[in-house]
Amino acid sequence: MRQGGDLVGETQTVPVPGPSGPVQIQIVINRDGASRPVEVFIHGVRGRDRSMTNALGRIVSLALAGGIPADAVSRTLSGIGGEDPPVWWNGTQIRSIPDAVAKVLAPRGDG
């Protein structure tokens, strides 16, 4: 998906809503030398959501590799909710796994 070069990875552990309460997942954002996000991986998801979460990471990575700005991807995913009650992380409401990815992917300093 990407051209060569060194990447710097940053992992954030984020709670997301689950049927039995919050579930902790890890979202890895790999950035290029200019600090632009180029890859996203999501770990810690079990059950049925695992394949959908894997697909989400791949599609987000493909969008970033295709030149779509991270803030546009973040805005698109932000606010997507599910049937479970939202949780709070760093003063921000998290409504779903895609919403958590949006919050981690958001430009630094913008939430």
Side-chain angles (χ1 to χ4, degrees), residues 23-105:
V23 176
Q24 299 289 323
I25 65 169
Q26 291 75 43
I27 301 172
V28 179
I29 307 288
N30 287 331
R31 297 177 186 274
D32 65 13
S35 291
R36 286 185 300 257
V38 295
E39 293 177 327
V40 174
F41 299 96
I42 307 160
H43 304 289
V45 179
R46 299 176 194 250
R48 288 182 237 178
D49 291 339
R50 189 174 189 171
S51 62
M52 292 302 289
T53 303
N54 187 3
L56 175 63
R58 289 180 186 200
I59 290 296
V60 169
S61 296
L62 186 63
L64 296 171
I68 297 174
D71 62 333
V73 175
S74 178
R75 283 193 312 269
T76 300
L77 297 175
S78 186
I80 293 175
E83 57 190 55
D84 300 313
V87 298
W88 290 89
W89 173 69
N90 290 346
T92 302
Q93 191 176 63
I94 304 292
R95 301 173 51 87
S96 65
I97 294 170
D99 192 40
V101 171
K103 301 304 191 293
V104 173
L105 193 59

